[in-house]
């Protein structure tokens, strides 16, 4: 059973980052005393092309939808997750923004995604050579949790409507490549790296809405988590949470 302190950690992290971001707003975003109308209009328009490092941050949760256990007649439900501790962190490491017209932007960048899928049952995933299999955890003297963790590097393409200093609405598509995966459970800690049978390529679509750079997002993975006939079919990822800086 996950204690209350662990449950609160994602919310504490979100609050701390939001406070830091708000406290570090650039000077040009503040109103100038005595500024002319022309100056205010000029400041409100983004440049035609803008390059950003560390462009945005997403902190949220993940779930697995549409699992199909046809290959597992005796093991239904092993991909069920505990959503509260199943976290998703995405960091935009670079982005180029093109202003099509004032209030309409095309953006393309690079992003790193970290996913932690915490299983609801006391199981882990093992490789039997041909397919991924659930395995009951029996060697944990003080069982805490079991998870599958993955890391992807991707290219998101976005269309953003609105003003980055006011309300912005964004839609996106992205392609990501799997660079690391492992299962882990405790206690004691047992970790198995390089989980086979996962799809290396992940295709997703999503949307977000923000006010002055702080908002909410949601994304859905069209690509199944596992390769065909090497794991439960379906298992499409659903990701949602708080976004900063779009």
């Amino acid at each position: 059973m996950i204690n209350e302190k662990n449950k609160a950690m994602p919310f504490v992290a979100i609050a701390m980052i939001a406070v830091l971001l708000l406290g570090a707003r650039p000077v040009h975003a503040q109103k100038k005393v005595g500024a002319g109308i022309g100056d205010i209009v000029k400041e409100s328009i983004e440049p035609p092309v803008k390059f950003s490092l560390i462009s945005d941050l997403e902190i949220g949760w993940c779930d697995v939808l549409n699992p199909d256990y046809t290959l597992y007649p005796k093991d239904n439900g092993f991909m069920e997750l505990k959503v509260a501790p199943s976290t998703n962190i995405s960091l935009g490491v670079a982005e180029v923004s093109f202003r099509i017209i004032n209030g309409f932007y095309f953006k393309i960048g690079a992003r790193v995604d970290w996913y932690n899928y915490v299983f609801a049952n006391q199981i882990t995933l093992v490789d039997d050579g041909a397919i991924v299999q659930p395995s009951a955890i029996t060697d944990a003297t003080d069982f805490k949790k079991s998870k599958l963790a993955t890391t992807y590097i991707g290219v998101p393409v976005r269309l953003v409507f609105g003003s980055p200093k006011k309300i912005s609405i964004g839609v996106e598509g992205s392609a990501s490549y799997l660079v690391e995966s492992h299962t882990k459970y405790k206690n004691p800690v047992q970790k198995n790296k390089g989980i086979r049978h996962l799809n290396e390529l992940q295709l997703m679509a999503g949307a977000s809405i923000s006010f002055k750079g702080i908002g909410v997002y949601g994304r859905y993975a069209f690509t199944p988590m596992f390769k065909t006939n090497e794991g439960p079919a379906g298992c499409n990822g659903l990701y949602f949470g708080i976004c900063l800086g779009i």
Side-chain angles (χ1 to χ4, degrees), residues 12 30 81 118 121 141 162 195 203 219:
V12 173
Q30 301 174 7
L81 302 181
V118 178
N121 302 307
T141 56
I195 305 304
L203 302 177
R219 292 202 305 275

Side-chain angles (χ1 to χ4, degrees), residues 12-39:
V12 173
I14 290 169
M16 291 177 65
I17 293 171
V19 169
L20 289 173
L21 195 68
L22 287 170
R25 289 195 177 277
V27 175
H28 65 74
Q30 301 174 7
K31 290 185 178 179
K32 293 182 179 179
V33 177
I37 294 176
D39 294 330

Side-chain angles (χ1 to χ4, degrees), residues 21 55-57 95 107 158 210 212-215 243-246:
L21 195 68
S55 56
D56 59 275
L57 175 66
E95 183 179 75
K107 301 186 178 188
R158 291 173 172 164
S210 67
K212 294 187 176 181
I214 301 176
C243 55
L244 305 173
I246 71 164

